[in-house]
Structure formats: structure tokens, C-alpha cells
Amino acid sequence: MASLGEQKLWGALPRGTTGEISRMDPETRQSLVARLSQFIPSDRLLSDPDRLVAYSYDATGERHRPDIVVIPKTLAEVLTVMENAMAHHVIIIGRGSGSNLSGGTMPVVGGLIMAFSRLKSINHLDVDNRRVAVEPGVVNAELQNRLRALGFFYAPDPSSHRISTIGGNVAENSGGPHCVKYGVTTNHVLALDVMLADGRMRTTPLVGVPRNGLDWTGLVVGSEGTLAMVVGVTVTITPLPIATRTMLAVFSSLESAVGCVAAIVAAKIVPATLELLDRTSLEIIEPFVHAGYPVGAEAVLLMEVDGDDTTLDQDVATIRQVAAEAGSVEFRLANSAQEAEALWKGRRAHYGAAARLAPHLWVQDVTVPRPLLPDMVRDVVAIGERYGFKIMTAAHVGDGNLHPVISYDPADLDAVERMRQADHEILKACVRYGGSITGEHGIGIDKVDNLSLMYTDDELGIMQGVKHVWDPENRLNPLKAIPLQSEAWLEPPSSAYDLKPVMQPETLAEGQELVRAAYAQRQPLTIRGSGNRGSLWPAIASSWVVDLRKWNRLIDFDKENLTVEVEAGYMAKELATLLDREGLYLPGIHPAQRDTVGGLVAANVRALQSPQSWRDWVLGVEWIDGCGRRLRFGRKTMKNVAGYDITKLAPGSEGRLGILATLILRLRPKPVRPWAGVATDSTPKRLLLYSQALLQKPFRPETLVVVRGDAGEWSLWMAGVSEAARGWVNQLADTHQIDLHFLRVADGAPSHWASIRESWWEKAVSQRLYVDGYVLPNELEMIGDACATRPGPIVLFPYTGSYEIYGGVEDVLAGLATRVQGAYWWRTKDHDWDDIEAGTMQLFDPRGLFSSDKDVTHDF
């Protein structure tokens, strides 16, 4: 009888072509095993068929056996394995716990699996700077447990957090119940240590920093191990909230439940979690775990809010009233941790309860704009009935992420075929509603043939080009995340557009024609919005100007979905005024701003009001690239991991990848935190120490900056302090001997301070006396000390370690560079990424219309 490893592994769904990718031949396999055995002991170098079975499957039910499995314990071993595998030209697949639901780690055509389960060190836990560096094999729950003892937590918490690894979370850009408030993995990753396909070890530039190059971190997160091997992750950590409240609201209709979500948002409450279960789910969960769910209800909302006790009591009262007005027939508040856990036990049991219905489950993952979720659920139910399945659904309803579950028997070929047809129909319906075919599970091999539902050939061609730039031999986890190469690229059509030294297109179509004409004539172009920041970098030699200020249309304003889409020339002050009138908020803009929205995004201008950056607010972008193609990436959904996150390349691109045409932006309810505060001192030391202490507390303000003004006195500005938190903030100020004065304002203080900063900016930049950069947050005092005798304003950002210096600073740069270890100056180019950056720019702009003669760092 054949051994288990030699038997045919059942359950694999039929797949399309694998192109020119083939399995490892026996001779190559034998040679590679012999070579690796010199460095890796036999208990961590697996090649026997029976031992390989454990790595032949994941949570999808697919079965594909690898040729070799290596379990490295050190980065040196990873490097050795990579070097030898690439020398033998074999496929390499990184793997964590194998809990993914899209087949992202399946060795479809064999290859070498690099299992990171032994690389599980928490290398540097830096509470002072609110970050931690970990190896990829660290289990999410283990990190959470370690942080909890210190009063912190790591926000992304996928349902698989008890077994899934941080490296796997990065590969899939995992979400989870708490991402409605705190965001998904990409919003919490600061930098990545990666091993490129050729074996080079690199660290991605810190995210969110203006003039720090393109966002390679954002591109790698969610790329499913197809671009690079992630061997280290630096993430931000957040103080634990003081308290939480868990609630269950019961509804007689699905529409009422989703309407309640919109009403909660309209009430300016952002819950930590917002989970929905439909009638079918309730019917299977309650007999399974006895969580106390109301069988017979059409839908329930499981909600959690966190913060301080006073605020939470107010939030619960508001949510209770909103739920009643939305049609809730029952409302429960957990009165203890045990009651809260019982409610969550039911939600977590959704998959397990469904698994009792059939030999296997197919769990889908689609995201639509939140207001369209009831329509999507109805379509899912109808599709199930059409193909003979009773589909149950659960949803992270706060961000429109729906998980339909189909139970089926994989041994029944007819059921498998019907399931695949139903699955495809669900994906088509999702795209019809403007959604993404995956919000958090990834593309893997599950949906790779369906990406064309969302993207054009040109858009897929960009993704395929990115893959080739990073992995020219297609050896890193091939056949996943994106489809095989599409048809050959064609020259853009000709254009008769009359090029001039200054052009102001009125429509996007005219912009396309303009670029096509420039492509044909090889005419360099410089993009201009308001021109407010153009002196930061020189224009391209012999370039003609494309002025975008007539692209000033509001395309879509979806208040219930908390999104807005504008053309790139839309003025930031107009958008800020509109949002303020509607009770909404976008941290990167204010009513006194004279910039275009596209200009702010392209320059990745740092917001005074928020520690986050434009990468966290831009959900989608449309480019006109250097060939005149209109390329649209992203969606008006909170979660989207369909293909590579090309949208992340827009903030900070500085016009080098083409013309930003339209932008989809994520909004927030206007915060109800009426207090601002000001404190002054002769030096920045005490103000910064107080800031560092404050940022380690759960009641920290939304805005926190330390500045030196024209008069030379140092001040601390804060805003976004709640009524309940004001006493704690003031008590901590007393401890640090800070004389803090509170101002009760209607959110006006950040805009006022932003206007002051804007005046500094205009003067300094026009005279080319401006520099910025970043250090670790607890090193900011050195920046203040180094500039102590120099005139001009300085802005320090304790949240991020960023700084801005206005005035005569050129002659102190050298002194700063020697005093601050690890300082990163925007003038200092990171040459490690030259080839990746050049290849990416070539994809978007093959003739260099937007980048010729431009130094990437834009030196003065």
C-alpha cells in the first residue's frame, strides 16, 4: 500500500493554467536537499512524502504537496536557504500557521516551503516609543498577551489570532472585529525587514513620512509573499482602553440592523466592534454553544465600545436609543466580563457551528460599501437558493465586510461545481455594488481567476509588472495574489492634442489626450495643483506645466459610508468646510488651507491634527499614467486586499508616477472632544517628557505637537480631549510640573494652529529654508537642543518622532546628523531601493515624462 504522502490528496479544486511554471524535477530536489542538509538539521529539513503532508493544506480544504519544507530558526538560515533555493531556480513559499482561507500558501506546483514557526522572537518592545519589532512567526495572541501585561495592545485581531502569526497577518493584511475603529494590519505596520528574491536583505523606509520615497511597506503588506519574504515586522502599539462595554441588539429585519449602524455613526460614535449575524447563523450557532442568542430573530448586532467609564455610559445610552429608533426589538448590555465573553463566544463559533452541517465549508469574503450590505446579503441568499445551498452570513458590518458560508461535500462533484458557480456569482454581485472580491482573506488561488471582475487588463498589467520588478524569475509564491501575465502591452493611441507650455485640462478625458500627445512627442510634464509647495523640488528641465485646478468636481459624497470621492484639483479648504457642515472630519485638511487635495496627497503633507498620514485616509485612486492610461485602484470600501495595494503608492509619489486624477477618501465622524490645551516653557524638555507620558495613556488627545514660535518660546498644543479625560490630562500635567491651560472650543483650535503653521511654511519654503525628518519620538529633545541658538519656528510631533524646521538651518544639519543616532533626513536617499523604484516608475511612465532629470530626493 502506498504511503500517506504518496497517495493522491483529494479535495483540490480544478485550477486553470500554470503557464511555464513546473514542478521541481527529482534531480534538482535531490541536489537541493543535499546542499541544505549541510546547514539545516534533519528535524527541520523535511523531504519525506509522509512528513510533507502537514504542509499540503490550509483552511481552504485544498491539497497540494510541497517538494521540500525548511523550518529555519535564524535569519542566517533564512538567507542560506534563499541563496541555495534561488541558485537551484526553485519556487519558494513562506508559511506561518497555514490558517489562511484563500490558498495563499498552497504549493500548487510544489516548491520549497519556508515555515517561519521557529522565528518567533519579540526582539524589541519599546513602550516609550510605542512600537515593537517581532519575527514573522510570533503568534498574534502571544504578542497580545505580552503587551497586555504592559498596558498596551496590538490592534489587528483576526478571528484566527490564537494561531495566526504576525508574518501571516502581514501577508494577508488581516483585519478582524476591531478594525472598524482601529484599522487593518497595514495601518499599524511601521516598517518591514524583507528578503528580496535575489537574497538581498532590506528594511522598508518608515511609513507616513513626507519625502521618504514610495511606500514599499504598504505594497508588501497584503502581497501574500509574492514580492518578498518578510523576516521582521515593526508595528505600532496602543494603550489599552480603560474599559469596554459589550452589547447585543436584536432586530426583526436585516435592513433595520444595518440602518442602526448608519445611525450610530451619525451619532458620532465609532464602536470598537460592529458584528452582524443573520437568521440562519443564529439558528445554527445557538444549539451549538448556547450563547443566549435569540433564535428566530432576523439579525443581531454584536457591538463593543471602549474608552473611559463616563464616556462609555453615554455611548451605551445613545446606542440603546439609536437601536430602538432603528427598530430593535431587544437590547442587552453585558454586565460582566463573563456575560461579554458569552456573547462573543457565539460570534466566534460561527465557523465551527457551520462545520457540523457538511463535510466541508467554503467561506467567502467580500466587501461592499456599508449602506449596500442588505442588498448584498439578499443577493447572496438568492444565489444560494438558485444553486441549491442554504448560505449563512456573518459580517464585520462596521466596514461592510461580509462572510457568506457554503457547506458542501467535496466528494460530490456536482456539489463542488454548483458551489464554484455560486461562489463566482457572489463575487460578480459584490463588484456590481462597487465592492472588493476580498476584504481580508486575500486572493490566493481562490480568487485569482476573478480579479478581472475588478480590474482592467491595463490595471492588472501594472500589478504583473510590479511582480516582475520585485521577482523577475517568478519564484516567490507564484500563481497567487495576481493572475499570470496578460496580453502584451500596446502603444497608446495617437492624440492630436495641442501641447503648450502651460495647460489646464477641464476633463479627465482631456488630460488623457494631453498625456498621449506628450508621450508621442516625448515632452516632459510637470504637474501643478495650487503651486503652494512646488518650490520644494525643481521642475523637470524643458517641462511644460499641467495645471489641475479645473479638476475640481465632487464626484461622490457617501455620508453613510463615510467616504468622499473628489477630483485631484478640489480645494482642501472647500472639502474641509463641506465636511464640517455635515458633522464629518478628514484630519489631513482644514478650512484655512490653500492646497488642492491631490497636491496634499502627492506631497504626503503631514497633518497637524492626527498622527496618521494620507496612506491611512486614501482608499482609492485614479491615475493618468505616462502612457495616457486611466488606472483605477482601490474602492470605496474600508477593506480591500484584492491584488496589490497600488493605492499606497499615491501618497508621497510627488507626481512621478503620473497625474493623480481622482481620490476616494475615508472620513470620520467629527469628534466630540471639546477641549484644547496650551502650555509653555523656556525649553522643550519638560513638554516632551509630558507628551511621552501622555501618549502611553488611553486618554491621550487626538492632536499633540510641541512648537517653538517666532518669539522663541516653546509651547505644547493639544486638542481633542474629552470632558471625562480632561481631569486625567491635567493631573498628569501637574505631575510633570506643566502649567496647562484648557480652552473650550468647537474643534477650532487645530485649524487655528494649522493656519499659524501654514504661514511659517509659506515663508520658509519660498526662501528654501525648510527641512523635515524623523527620529524616534523620545529623541525629539535632541532636535530642539541642536537648533536652540538658531532662529525660526520648529514643530515637533511626539506621536511619530517627526519634526519640521523653518528658518536658517542649513549650517546645523551636520551637527544634527552626528548628534541624533539613526536620524533620517529627507535629503539622504536610501539607495537600497533604487532598482525597485526605477522599475516601478518605468511601469507607470516608460518615457520618463514625469520623472526625467528629477532626483528622487528632490535636493535643493
Side-chain angles (χ1 to χ4, degrees):
M1 180 177 178
S3 68
L4 178 61
E6 294 169 337
Q7 293 178 37
K8 180 179 180 181
L9 296 170
W10 64 276
L13 301 180
R15 295 294 166 197
T17 178
T18 58
E20 298 179 357
I21 303 172
S22 57
R23 292 194 72 98
M24 193 185 307
D25 62 71
E27 293 78 14
T28 299
R29 180 172 178 270
Q30 183 177 2
S31 172
L32 181 55
V33 169
R35 177 64 178 167
L36 292 176
S37 65
Q38 300 177 34
F39 311 98
I40 309 294
S42 59
D43 62 324
R44 294 189 286 111
L45 175 60
L46 315 181
S47 58
D48 180 81
D50 285 345
R51 299 180 72 190
L52 296 174
V53 170
Y55 297 87
S56 68
Y57 61 91
D58 62 7
T60 61
E62 296 267 358
R63 298 290 190 274
H64 301 280
R65 190 172 61 234
D67 296 296
I68 304 170
V69 173
V70 181
I71 309 172
K73 291 181 67 175
T74 66
L75 288 183
E77 287 185 349
V78 173
L79 178 59
T80 297
V81 174
M82 284 285 290
E83 288 175 342
N84 282 279
M86 298 315 285
H88 284 75
H89 304 284
V90 302
I91 293 166
I92 307 171
I93 302 170
R95 180 182 170 105
S97 298
S99 60
N100 55 293
L101 288 158
S102 61
T105 58
M106 285 294 89
V108 183
V109 286
L112 182 149
I113 283 183
M114 188 103 68
F116 288 113
S117 56
R118 301 285 184 94
L119 284 169
K120 53 183 180 181
S121 297
I122 298 176
N123 291 325
H124 186 56
L125 209 169
D126 187 352
V127 172
D128 287 343
N129 294 301
R130 301 167 305 283
R131 61 190 66 191
V132 57
V134 302
E135 290 184 328
V138 171
V139 172
N140 186 296
E142 292 176 358
L143 177 61
Q144 302 288 10
N145 292 337
R146 179 81 173 273
L147 293 173
R148 190 176 297 110
L150 301 173
F152 283 81
F153 73 107
Y154 173 59
D157 61 336
S159 298
S160 60
H161 68 279
R162 287 184 174 85
I163 58 171
S164 65
T165 62
I166 297 298
N169 295 167
V170 168
E172 301 293 344
N173 193 16
S174 300
H178 285 87
C179 67
V180 61
K181 178 175 182 177
Y182 294 103
V184 295
T185 296
T186 192
N187 304 118
H188 299 272
V189 176
L190 286 172
L192 296 171
D193 298 320
V194 299
M195 199 162 286
L196 301 181
D198 59 7
R200 288 180 296 163
M201 183 77 169
R202 296 289 180 262
T203 299
T204 58
L206 197 71
V207 303
V209 178
R211 287 164 296 285
N212 208 23
L214 296 176
D215 186 356
W216 305 126
T217 301
L219 189 65
V220 172
V221 173
S223 64
E224 304 182 24
T226 63
L227 298 181
M229 201 72 72
V230 175
V231 295
V233 187
T234 301
V235 301
T236 58
I237 58 177
T238 305
L240 283 167
I242 296 172
T244 61
R245 300 283 191 274
T246 304
M247 298 154 281
L248 187 77
V250 183
F251 295 89
S252 58
S253 74
L254 188 67
E255 289 80 1
S256 296
V258 178
C260 180
V261 173
I264 290 171
V265 171
K268 300 182 180 180
I269 296 174
V270 181
T273 61
L274 263 173
E275 300 290 294
L276 179 142
L277 292 166
D278 68 358
R279 181 189 183 102
T280 304
S281 298
L282 297 173
E283 290 174 348
I284 65 165
I285 287 173
E286 186 56 26
F288 181 50
V289 296
H290 307 292
Y293 284 2
V295 176
E298 290 298 320
V300 298
L301 287 180
L302 178 61
M303 298 168 284
E304 191 172 271
V305 289
D306 60 22
D308 61 77
D309 290 310
T310 304
T311 302
L312 291 185
D313 290 340
Q314 296 172 350
D315 288 347
V316 169
T318 301
I319 291 174
R320 185 190 297 270
Q321 180 181 346
V322 166
E325 294 172 353
S328 172
V329 298
E330 184 182 352
F331 187 90
R332 303 179 193 172
L333 172 65
N335 293 313
S336 66
Q338 292 75 19
E339 290 183 17
E341 177 58 28
L343 293 177
W344 275 107
K345 183 179 180 182
R347 173 63 182 91
R348 297 190 191 105
H350 186 257
Y351 184 90
R356 301 192 306 163
L357 302 180
H360 197 71
L361 299 179
W362 194 255
V363 182
Q364 193 45 272
D365 161 50
V366 294
T367 305
V368 297
R370 186 175 51 232
L372 300 179
L373 197 58
D375 297 326
M376 184 65 203
V377 172
R378 278 194 298 270
D379 280 8
V380 167
V381 171
I383 290 168
E385 292 174 349
R386 191 157 61 245
Y387 288 97
F389 297 105
K390 187 175 183 179
I391 299 179
M392 63 210 75
T393 56
H396 306 305
V397 68
D399 35 49
N401 189 193
L402 182 70
H403 294 309
V405 178
I406 303 175
S407 55
Y408 74 102
D409 182 355
D412 182 342
L413 296 183
D414 176 67
V416 171
E417 182 58 28
R418 286 186 289 110
M419 183 276 293
R420 296 186 69 215
Q421 291 174 349
D423 182 70
H424 186 67
E425 290 297 318
I426 290 171
L427 299 183
K428 287 172 62 178
C430 156
V431 174
R432 188 167 62 248
Y433 287 121
S436 167
I437 62 174
T438 176
E440 58 185 3
H441 291 173
I443 290 293
I445 53 176
D446 171 24
K447 304 184 184 76
V448 71
D449 294 332
N450 292 295
L451 265 181
S452 58
L453 295 173
M454 285 182 64
Y455 298 110
T456 67
D457 286 344
D458 285 339
E459 291 156 358
L460 290 175
I462 289 289
M463 294 185 188
Q464 290 154 350
V466 167
K467 168 69 171 173
H468 182 74
V469 168
W470 286 70
D471 180 20
E473 294 188 14
N474 198 18
R475 296 296 175 184
L476 295 181
N477 203 15
L479 306 174
K480 318 290 177 52
I482 61 169
L484 291 169
Q485 189 73 32
S486 60
E487 295 183 5
W489 177 80
L490 300 175
E491 286 281 322
S494 60
S495 171
Y497 190 91
D498 184 18
L499 295 176
K500 299 175 182 178
V502 178
M503 295 162 284
Q504 197 173 55
E506 296 191 4
T507 65
L508 303 189
E510 185 180 347
Q512 273 189 285
E513 291 300 309
L514 182 160
V515 174
R516 287 171 179 170
Y519 176 90
Q521 300 176 37
R522 299 181 181 270
Q523 172 59 54
L525 301 172
T526 292
I527 305 165
R528 177 188 295 167
S530 64
N532 197 23
R533 302 173 192 275
S535 58
L536 272 181
W537 47 83
I540 307 170
S542 305
S543 67
W544 287 357
V545 172
V546 183
D547 186 331
L548 302 184
R549 283 178 291 179
K550 286 191 176 181
W551 288 4
N552 56 5
R553 298 167 184 84
L554 178 68
I555 299 171
D556 176 65
F557 183 23
D558 192 338
K559 291 182 284 187
E560 290 188 22
N561 195 50
L562 292 180
T563 55
V564 65
E565 183 174 2
V566 297
E567 289 182 336
Y570 201 86
M571 296 302 295
K573 61 182 179 181
E574 294 181 13
L575 182 57
T577 301
L578 169 65
L579 297 179
D580 184 70
R581 189 166 60 243
E582 297 291 342
L584 298 174
Y585 176 58
L586 179 63
I589 61 177
H590 57 85
Q593 216 155 19
R594 297 193 302 106
D595 300 272
T596 62
V597 176
L600 291 172
V601 173
N604 198 19
V605 174
R606 186 182 294 106
L608 189 68
Q609 308 97 308
S610 171
Q612 294 178 301
S613 66
W614 284 101
R615 74 189 302 273
D616 298 300
W617 309 321
V618 178
L619 296 175
V621 62
E622 184 175 9
W623 266 289
I624 298 176
D625 75 351
C627 303
R629 299 175 293 188
R630 286 177 66 169
L631 305 170
R632 190 173 180 87
F633 300 102
R635 292 294 186 273
K636 54 181 284 187
T637 58
M638 301 303 114
K639 296 159 80 174
N640 174 17
V641 289
Y644 297 149
D645 193 357
I646 304 296
T647 299
K648 287 292 189 296
L649 297 180
S653 57
E654 299 174 349
R656 292 178 290 135
L657 301 180
I659 303 174
L660 290 183
T662 68
L663 296 145
I664 303 173
L665 305 169
R666 179 178 188 172
L667 308 176
R668 295 167 52 190
K670 190 176 177 182
V672 187
R673 291 184 168 187
W675 290 101
V678 180
T680 59
D681 209 335
S682 58
T683 71
K685 181 174 182 177
R686 284 194 300 177
L687 301 177
L688 286 169
L689 288 174
Y690 169 56
S691 298
Q692 289 300 314
L694 189 59
L695 293 182
Q696 294 180 34
K697 305 296 183 182
F699 47 80
R700 56 191 186 174
E702 291 204 342
T703 299
L704 188 64
V705 292
V706 174
V707 304
R708 186 181 72 184
D710 290 307
E713 187 175 48
W714 287 92
S715 301
L716 179 146
W717 298 345
M718 71 169 66
V721 179
S722 69
E723 182 70 43
R726 187 163 65 103
W728 294 327
V729 171
N730 208 27
Q731 183 179 0
L732 192 62
D734 291 341
T735 302
H736 284 77
Q737 299 180 322
I738 299 295
D739 187 13
L740 185 64
H741 299 278
F742 279 104
L743 308 169
R744 189 176 181 89
V745 293
D747 300 310
S751 294
H752 171 68
W753 296 332
S755 299
I756 296 174
R757 175 204 189 196
E758 205 72 17
S759 67
W760 297 339
W761 167 273
E762 292 178 2
K763 180 180 178 181
V765 170
S766 65
Q767 298 174 10
R768 301 187 184 278
L769 296 175
Y770 168 83
V771 69
D772 68 359
Y774 63 90
V775 292
L776 288 173
N778 64 359
E779 293 178 332
L780 281 173
E781 185 185 349
M782 297 183 187
I783 301 297
D785 289 346
C787 296
T789 62
R790 306 299 303 172
I794 300 172
V795 184
L796 308 177
F797 295 83
Y799 262 108
T800 61
S802 301
Y803 56 86
E804 299 172 351
I805 305 173
Y806 304 83
V809 296
E810 294 294 321
D811 58 343
V812 298
L813 292 183
L816 281 170
T818 57
R819 291 190 60 176
V820 183
Q821 295 300 315
Y824 291 85
W825 297 93
W826 68 274
R827 286 171 164 271
T828 304
K829 177 176 169 52
D830 187 349
H831 291 282
D832 285 347
W833 295 95
D834 279 359
D835 55 340
I836 299 290
E837 185 166 90
T840 303
M841 292 170 66
Q842 178 74 13
L843 291 174
F844 282 86
D845 185 17
R847 290 189 173 174
L849 305 184
F850 301 105
S851 56
S852 295
D853 302 329
K854 274 192 178 181
D855 186 271
V856 173
T857 56
H858 301 305
D859 254 337
F860 289 157

